[in-house]
């Protein structure tokens, strides 16, 4: 299976701890996105990369959040000093460069569910 | 800015009945529109997409959606519901303006009664 892979699937952490999530996109996709989804809501955009460049960050991405994609392949999302409000599903998605051929959709991983206790 | 409104956070239908999930969008430029489905503790799976070709779009699992520019709508339908259709459905919009991100609606949970 060559879909988007996220690790870990589940993470329970104590408030104040740092956590890091990993996303491996589909190999030929140069765009990578992070979303956050809380219970009963749709995914909210956090940030997006074109290759290794982080091109856009949502205001939802506070100073405690940082994302990297150092070699334009996998990406990591780190949350420092976690708070209970950070509890959510963190979704990663990837897509090829936009083309008029219709390759417009993002392909999603299964997410990392974070619980902060 | 783009936005999506899904009318009805919960929809309940009987097995075999018509499924209609409503979505209205707002966009200042021609949009690309999507419907995704999400099963519990899973990621999102694309059902179908509108990319400015045919206004009636057919997707997987018997779903289809019609783009109506005059109504700024992109409602999802299926003629006959199956128990396996019970899930959360998200309408989404994106535009090609240099940057690219997908904006999602709040979702509609579909319940299918036997």
């Amino acid at each position: 299976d060559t879909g988007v892979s996220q690790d870990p699937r589940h993470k329970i952490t104590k408030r104040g701890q740092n956590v890091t999530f990993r996303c491996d996109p589909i190999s030929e996709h140069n765009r990578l996105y992070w979303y956050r989804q809380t219970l009963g809501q749709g995914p909210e955009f956090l940030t997006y990369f074109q290759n290794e460049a982080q091109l856009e960050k949502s205001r939802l991405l506070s100073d405690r959040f940082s994302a990297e994609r150092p070699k334009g392949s996998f990406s990591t999302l780190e949350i420092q000093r976690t708070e209970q409000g950070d509890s959510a599903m963190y979704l990663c998605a990837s897509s090829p460069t936009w083309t008029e051929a219709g390759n417009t959709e993002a392909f999603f991983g299964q997410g990392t569910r974070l619980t902060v206790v | 800015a783009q936005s999506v409104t899904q009318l009805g956070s919960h929809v309940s239908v009987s097995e075999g009945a018509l499924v209609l999930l409503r979505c209205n969008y707002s966009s200042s430029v021609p949009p690309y529109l999507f419907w995704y489905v999400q099963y519990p503790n899973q990621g999102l799976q694309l059902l179908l997409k509108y990319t400015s070709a045919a206004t009636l779009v057919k997707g997987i699992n018997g779903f289809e959606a019609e783009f109506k520019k005059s109504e700024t709508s992109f409602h999802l339908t299926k003629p006959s519901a199956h128990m396996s259709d019970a899930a959360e459905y998200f309408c989404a919009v994106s535009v090609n303006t240099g940057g690219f991100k997908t904006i999602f609606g709040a979702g509609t949970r579909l319940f299918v009664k036997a």
Side-chain angles (χ1 to χ4, degrees), chain A:
Chain A
D1 181 40
T2 58
V4 177
S5 176
Q6 292 188 246
D7 183 70
R9 291 291 311 278
H10 303 274
K11 177 71 176 179
I12 300 174
T13 191
K14 292 184 178 179
R15 189 175 52 187
Q17 298 294 304
N18 299 344
V19 293
T20 300
F21 310 141
R22 177 179 170 124
C23 172
D24 287 90
I26 294 171
S27 59
E28 61 269 26
H29 288 179
N30 53 15
R31 292 185 171 182
L32 186 148
Y33 317 85
W34 285 99
Y35 288 83
R36 180 174 68 187
Q37 185 180 21
T38 52
L39 200 61
Q41 298 297 316
E44 297 173 297
F45 172 80
L46 292 178
T47 189
Y48 125 76
F49 291 85
Q50 170 96 7
N51 299 314
E52 67 275 10
Q54 188 173 20
L55 296 187
E56 187 171 351
K57 292 194 292 185
S58 164
R59 56 183 171 79
L60 293 175
L61 212 65
S62 76
D63 291 345
R64 296 185 298 106
F65 287 70
S66 62
E68 295 182 344
R69 194 183 183 197
K71 297 182 179 180
S73 56
F74 73 91
S75 175
T76 57
L77 177 68
E78 181 183 17
I79 308 174
Q80 296 183 326
R81 305 181 302 282
T82 52
E83 301 172 357
Q84 286 189 321
D86 297 331
S87 296
M89 174 82 89
Y90 290 84
L91 294 165
C92 176
S94 69
S95 72
T97 301
W98 190 292
T99 73
E100 292 304 322
N103 294 329
T104 55
E105 72 267 27
F107 294 81
F108 283 81
Q110 294 195 320
T112 294
R113 181 166 294 283
L114 173 66
T115 302
V116 182
V117 298

Side-chain angles (χ1 to χ4, degrees), chain B residues 36-74:
Chain B
Y36 284 86
V37 61
Q38 186 177 38
Y39 296 97
N41 295 312
Q42 298 293 316
L44 282 80
Q45 179 184 8
L46 182 71
L47 278 178
L48 50 80
K49 63 181 179 181
Y50 166 76
T51 58
S52 75
T55 55
L56 182 62
V57 181
K58 295 186 183 299
I60 62 171
N61 300 339
F63 284 94
E64 63 182 37
E66 185 172 9
F67 172 70
K68 292 187 176 180
K69 183 177 179 181
S70 62
E71 299 177 7
T72 61
S73 68
F74 191 58

Side-chain angles (χ1 to χ4, degrees), chain B residues 3-7 21-26 33 35 68 71-75 91 93 105:
Chain B
S3 66
V4 173
T5 301
Q6 290 186 240
L7 303 175
L21 305 182
R22 300 178 186 273
C23 172
N24 288 90
Y25 70 91
S26 173
L33 296 162
W35 276 98
K68 292 187 176 180
E71 299 177 7
T72 61
S73 68
F74 191 58
H75 302 329
C91 183
V93 62

